[in-house]
């Protein structure tokens, strides 16, 4: 392919690497050396993970975990524009300010639907095994270029603003990848078999409803622990859905998987472990209560979980 998923990772890594250099020289950051090292190592894993042996990548991951765990990641000074300058730019650009943000979903969908089969000189234009992710990366680049043209900003400003955003997110930036990897480790370790045996002792073997209830609630709870429904999915599906709902009751696997993921997303709404959804927005908005987003979403999540349980039961029954 012409644009692979590795290209997206490398581009992201380059931005993170350049941001880390600014962090190293930011004297207003009380932990500038450890903070810079955190983002530098993270950038290396993004850019070079395919060529670095897995063992050494694991060591790098342990290093950044140690840096974050001992409070080595802090924010610094970013030389942001004054409120007056922002107001002038806002008045000049008006609603066009939203264009770069709107381009991201539009270009992503357009890339998935319109470019997935495109070939140039016999090569796929987008990575056929990761079309959505590559299209999203391409959309980010398009939005970046359009934003620079609109605001007449330099590439240096782009790097500085990228640094401000990633440092606002902080250590939580690496959490989604780690949690997704953790789900694979749990599945390989046989956690799904342990869950299956535990469920067999609690749920009547002839009760479809309680099997559905255990799977959906288990997906939500395990997602709350893991912080990621994709991490919970292989464990709970191997432990409950495959042997009971699909194997014993003969329910179609695609329907079980789809609704099961929706049930897992309910757990995403209720946990600080889903940092990119619940903690990062609170940090970016500078909310005093970092759990405000979770508390607001909690009632909706419980209602949706109940709806998913009923929906899966009805689909399985009829």
């Amino acid at each position: 392919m012409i644009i692979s998923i590795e290209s997206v990772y490398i581009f992201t890594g380059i931005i993170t690497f350049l941001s880390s250099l600014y962090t190293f020289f930011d004297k207003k950051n009380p932990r500038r050396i450890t903070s810079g090292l955190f983002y530098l190592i993270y950038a290396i894993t993004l850019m070079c993970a395919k060529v670095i042996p897995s063992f050494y990548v694991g060591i790098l991951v342990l290093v950044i975990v140690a840096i974050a765990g001992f409070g080595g990641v802090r924010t610094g000074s970013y030389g942001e524009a004054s409120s007056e300058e922002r107001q002038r730019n806002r008045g000049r650009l008006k609603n066009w300010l939203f264009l770069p943000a709107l381009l991201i979903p539009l270009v992503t969908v357009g890339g998935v639907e319109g470019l997935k089969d495109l070939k140039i000189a016999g090569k796929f234009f987008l990575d056929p095994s990761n079309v959505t992710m590559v299209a999203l990366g391409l959309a980010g680049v398009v939005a970046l270029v359009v934003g620079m043209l609109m605001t007449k900003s330099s590439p240096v400003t782009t790097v500085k603003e990228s640094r401000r955003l990633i440092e606002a997110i902080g250590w939580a930036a690496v959490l989604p990848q780690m949690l997704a990897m953790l789900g694979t480790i749990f599945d390989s370790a046989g956690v799904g078999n342990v869950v299956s045996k535990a469920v067999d002792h609690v749920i009547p073997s002839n009760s479809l409803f309680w099997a559905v209830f255990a799977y959906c609630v288990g997906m939500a709870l395990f997602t709350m622990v893991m912080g990621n429904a994709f991490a919970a999915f292989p464990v709970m599906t191997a432990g409950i859905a495959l042997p009971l709902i699909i194997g014993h009751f003969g329910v179609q696997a695609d329907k079980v998987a789809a609704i099961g993921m929706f049930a897992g997303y309910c757990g995403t709404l209720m946990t600080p472990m889903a940092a990119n959804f619940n903690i990062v927005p609170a940090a970016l908005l500078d909310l005093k209560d970092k759990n405000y987003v979770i508390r607001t979403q909690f009632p909706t999540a419980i209602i949706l979980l109940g709806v998913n349980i009923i929906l899966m039961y009805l689909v399985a029954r009829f």
Side-chain angles (χ1 to χ4, degrees):
M1 72 292 296
I2 295 176
I3 304 178
S4 66
I5 189 65
E6 286 299 320
S7 304
V8 177
Y9 288 139
I10 290 171
F11 180 77
T12 307
I14 290 172
I15 296 293
T16 308
F17 170 75
L18 295 175
S19 300
S20 72
L21 298 182
Y22 280 101
T23 303
F24 275 121
F25 293 98
D26 184 1
K27 295 183 179 180
K28 293 186 178 180
N29 187 331
R31 298 285 190 276
R32 62 189 179 96
I33 300 300
T34 53
S35 296
L37 185 62
F38 177 91
Y39 295 111
L40 174 62
I41 295 175
Y42 184 40
I44 291 173
T45 62
L46 289 170
M47 293 186 295
C48 309
K50 196 170 184 177
V51 296
I52 300 177
S54 301
F55 176 79
Y56 297 106
V57 173
I59 292 176
L60 293 176
V61 171
L62 292 176
V63 172
I64 63 175
V65 168
I67 293 173
F70 286 99
V73 181
R74 300 290 178 85
T75 57
S77 174
Y78 309 104
E80 300 175 66
S82 64
S83 57
E84 293 80 8
E85 185 177 352
R86 291 184 179 183
Q87 189 63 39
R88 285 197 301 271
N89 289 332
R90 190 180 297 117
R92 179 173 61 88
L93 296 172
K94 297 181 179 179
N95 290 335
W96 287 104
L97 278 170
F98 296 102
L99 179 60
L102 292 173
L103 281 173
I104 294 176
L106 292 175
V107 174
T108 301
V109 173
V112 172
E113 296 299 327
L115 301 178
K116 61 181 179 181
D117 296 321
L118 176 64
K119 289 186 177 181
I120 298 177
K123 295 182 179 180
F124 281 103
F125 182 66
L126 301 180
D127 189 341
S129 60
N130 294 280
V131 175
T132 303
M133 290 294 294
V134 175
L136 177 60
L138 181 63
V141 174
V142 171
L144 177 65
V145 173
V146 170
M148 290 173 58
L149 294 174
M150 286 174 53
T151 59
K152 300 179 181 179
S153 299
S154 66
V156 173
T157 302
T158 300
V159 174
K160 288 181 177 180
E161 285 299 303
S162 299
R163 176 201 165 209
R164 180 179 65 83
L165 288 174
I166 194 170
E167 290 195 4
I169 298 171
W171 58 267
V174 304
L175 197 55
Q177 293 143 288
M178 289 189 174
L179 292 172
M181 178 183 64
L182 188 60
T184 304
I185 294 173
F186 276 15
D187 184 47
S188 300
V191 177
N193 294 330
V194 176
V195 172
S196 180
K197 291 178 181 178
V199 170
D200 284 340
H201 287 86
V202 177
I203 295 178
S205 60
N206 61 344
S207 176
L208 173 61
F209 174 80
W210 288 112
V212 168
F213 181 89
Y215 177 54
C216 290
V217 173
M219 277 293 298
L221 292 176
F222 216 75
T223 298
M224 292 176 68
V225 174
M226 305 286 286
N228 191 312
F230 290 98
F233 182 77
V235 176
M236 299 308 299
T237 301
I240 301 177
L242 285 175
L244 289 177
I245 303 175
I246 298 172
H248 183 67
F249 292 103
V251 183
Q252 294 182 23
D254 55 344
K255 296 177 180 178
V256 173
I259 301 174
M261 285 299 294
F262 284 134
Y265 297 150
C266 295
T268 302
L269 299 174
M270 300 185 286
T271 176
M273 293 298 289
N276 51 329
F277 292 105
N278 301 329
I279 302 302
V280 170
L284 293 177
L285 295 173
D286 198 24
L287 299 179
K288 293 182 179 180
D289 182 0
K290 300 305 179 184
N291 293 316
Y292 180 79
V293 174
I294 296 174
R295 290 193 294 105
T296 302
Q297 295 173 163
F298 200 92
T300 303
I302 295 296
I303 294 171
L304 288 176
L305 180 58
V307 170
N308 283 313
I309 293 172
I310 296 171
L311 179 61
M312 184 181 291
Y313 176 72
L314 292 176
V315 168
R317 187 70 183 273
F318 303 105

